[in-house]
Amino acid sequence: MTRQTTVEATGSRLGTGLGTEIRLEGVTKDYGLAAPAVDDISLTIEPGEFMTLLGPSGSGKTTTLNLIAGFETLTEGTISLDGADVSAVPPHRRNLGMLFQNYALFPHMTVAQNVAYPLRERKVPKPEIARKVAEVLELVQLTGRDDTHPSRLSGGQQQRVALARAIVFEPKALLLDEPLGALDRNLRAALQTEIRRIHREVGSTFVFVTHDQEEAMNLADRIALFNNGRIEQVGTPQQLYAAPETLFTARFLGDSNVFELGAVGTGGTVAWEGESWGVDPETVAAHPGVRAAGAIVVRPEDVEVAGSRDAVPVGANAVRASVRDVEYMGSYRTLLLTVGERGLLGRARVSALRGEYAIGDEVVLWWRPRAQRIVAA
Amino acid sequence: MTSQVKTRRRPVAVDPVPWWLKVFGGLVVAFFILPTLFVIPMSFSSATTFQFPPPGFSWRLYENFFTNPVWLDSLGNSFLVASLTALLATTVGTAAAVALSRLDGKAARFARTVLMVPIVAPSIVVAVAVYISFLGWRLTGTVGGYVLAHTAIAVPYVLVSVTGALGGFDQRLLKASASLGASPLRSFVRVTMPLISRGILTGAIFAFIVSFDEVVIALFLRSPLFQTMPVQMYNSVTVEIDPTISAASSLMVLAVTIIFILPQLLRGRAGRRQERRP
Ligand SMILES: Nc1ncnc2c1ncn2[C@@H]1O[C@H](COP(=O)(O)OP(=O)(O)OP(=O)(O)O)[C@@H](O)[C@H]1O
Ligand SMILES: [Mg+2]
C-alpha cells in the first residue's frame, strides 16, 4: 500500500531529483583469507552524487558494492541509507537498483517485460506500468524494441535495457559494477556519456565500480580509490590527479615521474642522487606517512626539457636525462627518458614546436617546485 | 604454416559408419524392442492361450481389459499413484536440486549421495525396508503409502534432470531479481522456474514412469482393495493364466510412449513459436 502511494506521489516524471545518502562506517568484510577483502573503510556518498569506486583487480570494489546492495553480510561496521541502518535489511527490500557487467537480463522475457519486472513486484497498476516502461525506454533511447528478446540485442542495447530496468522503479540509488566492461571502446564512450546524462536527469545517487581510471575520470563527481581492501584517497578526479596523497594514487591516475626520497625533512630542500631540489611546503601531502618515506611526483606535462643546465631557470629543480624513445601524438610528443644514474624511466610531454629530439640525446629535465608533489611512498 | 594446418584438417564430411557398428547397433535396437514387437501382435490374438504367431485377429483381449473392473481399477490406481508421485517427487527433487546447486563442500556432496541411494539400492532391499516400516505406520495398501515409497525412488531422477538444467542457469539473474525487489520465493517462481522448466518437466516424466512401472515395492504394499497395474499383470500370469495381459502390456507401452513423446511435441511447438518472434 505505502509503496503504491509513493509511486503515485512522485508523479509522471522518472526520478525525484532527490538522491539518497549512503554512509559506510568502519565497513569490513573478512572471507577468512589472508587479508580482509574490505578492511575498515568509511565513506559518505552524498545524495545525488556520482561516486566512482576505482581500484585494481581484487581491491575490494565489488565486495563493497555487494555489501551496500546487501548481497554480502558485514563482518564489521555499519551501512546506512539516509541515516537508517540497513545492515539487517535483505537485498530485495533495500530498494537499490543494480547494473552488472553481464547485463543479467531475464532471457525468457521481452525487453518490456524485463523493464516491467520491478514494477510488477511492487504491484504497480497495469496502465501505470505501461506508461513508465514507455517513458524509461525513451530515456535510454530504445523506444519500439518492447517485444524484442534480449538475445536479439547488441551488448550496448542490452545494457541500456538493464539500465532502464534498474531505474524504472526509482530506486534510492543505482549501483553499477563495471557495467561497460564487456563493451568495445567506442560504445563505452557513448554509454559513458549516456549514463552521465541519465544521472543528471534522474538525479539519484550513483555508485559506479570500475578499474579503468579514464572511465572514472570521465564520469565521477568523486572517486574513491581502492587498494588492498582500503580506501587510499577520496576526492574529485582533479584532486586525485593534481594532489595525490600517496604514490599509489599518483601512479594509478595518469603517468608520472617518480623520484623516491626516503625520509623527508622539514627543511626547504630534498636530495635525490646528489641533486638538491627546492620544496614548496604546500605541495607536501598531508598524509602522515610522508615524513617517514616520501616520493616526488611530477606529471609529464609539467616537465620541461632543456639542452643544458645553463638553460634551466633559477629556482627550478633539474636532473640529467637521456632520450630513450619519442612517441609522436599529433600536436605534442612524449619523450621516454632515462633519468639519473640508476636509469629511472621518465616521461616528458613537449610541444611539437619545440624542436626535434633523437634517441640518445643528452638533455636536462626541469620543473618548478610548485609543479611537483611530495607524496607518501 | 597455415597451409599445412589446412591440409591436415580432417574432411568436413562425417566419417562413414563401419558396417560392424551398424550391425551391432541394429542388434541392440532389436534386443530392446523385440519383446514389444511380440506383445503387440499377441494383444490382437483370437486365441484364449498364449500363442505366437497369433492364429487370427480379434479385439477380444482389449474387450476383456476394458470390461473387467479389476483391470480398469488397477489402471486407474496406477495413474493416480504415478501422478501423485510425479507431483511430490518433482517438488522435493527440484527443491533439493536448487538447494544443492547453491551449496558446495562436503555436506552438500554427502546429501547428494544420500539422495541418489535409491537408484543404486537393490529394489528388493528397498521394498522390504519400506514394507516393514509401513506395516508399523499402517501405510501398506494405501495410496499414501505407494506415493511415499515411489517418491523415494523417483526423487533421484528429478534431482539429476533438474541439476542438469541448473547447470546452464545463470545464478547472477537471482541477484538481479533481488535488486529489483523480488523476494527469494518470487525470484524462484518468476526467474528460476521458467528457465529450468525443461529439466523439471523431464524429471516429472521420469518420476511418473518410475512409479507407473514399479512392481517390486508395489507387490509388497498391495492389498486386496488396492493394486497397481504392474501387480495386476503379475497376478494375471502367476495366479491365473490370462492372455489379457498382452493387451494390458501393449496399453502400458502405449501410455509410456505417449508420455515420453508428448513434451517433445509440445516443446517443438513452443520452440517454433519462439522462433517466429521478430
Ligand atoms: N565470495 C568470496 N569468497 C572468498 N573471497 C572472496 C569472495 N569474493 C571476493 N573475494 C576476495 O575478496 C577480494 C576482493 O574481491 P572483489 O571482487 O571485491 O575485488 P574487485 O575490486 O571487485 O576486483 P575486480 O576489479 O577484479 O572485479 C579478492 O581477493 C577476492 O579474491
Ligand atoms: Mg569486481
Side-chain angles (χ1 to χ4, degrees), chain B residues 18-31:
Chain B
W19 65 268
W20 55 266
L21 191 57
K22 287 184 188 162
V23 170
F24 186 72
L27 282 175
V28 171
V29 170
F31 178 77

Side-chain angles (χ1 to χ4, degrees), chain A residues 66 71 91-92 96-98 100 102 104-109 117-118 120-122 149 152 165-166 169, chain B residues 170 172-184 186-187 190-192 194-195 274-275 277-278:
Chain A
N66 281 336
F71 293 122
H92 68 277
L96 296 169
M98 198 151 181
F100 305 86
N102 70 330
L105 293 174
F106 304 127
H108 58 300
M109 297 182 189
Y117 189 93
R120 281 189 57 190
E121 284 307 313
R122 286 168 176 75
H149 273 262
R152 303 264 159 135
R165 184 180 69 173
F169 61 101
Chain B
D170 183 356
R172 288 172 293 194
L173 294 179
L174 295 178
K175 250 172 122 175
S177 177
S179 79
L180 297 167
S183 67
R186 290 285 298 164
S187 298
R190 288 190 70 190
V191 179
T192 313
L195 290 172
Q274 281 272 38
E275 250 153 57
R277 287 204 166 107

Side-chain angles (χ1 to χ4, degrees), chain A residues 252-266:
Chain A
F252 203 84
L253 291 148
D255 292 325
S256 39
N257 296 291
V258 175
F259 306 95
E260 301 204 30
L261 299 171
V264 178
T266 45

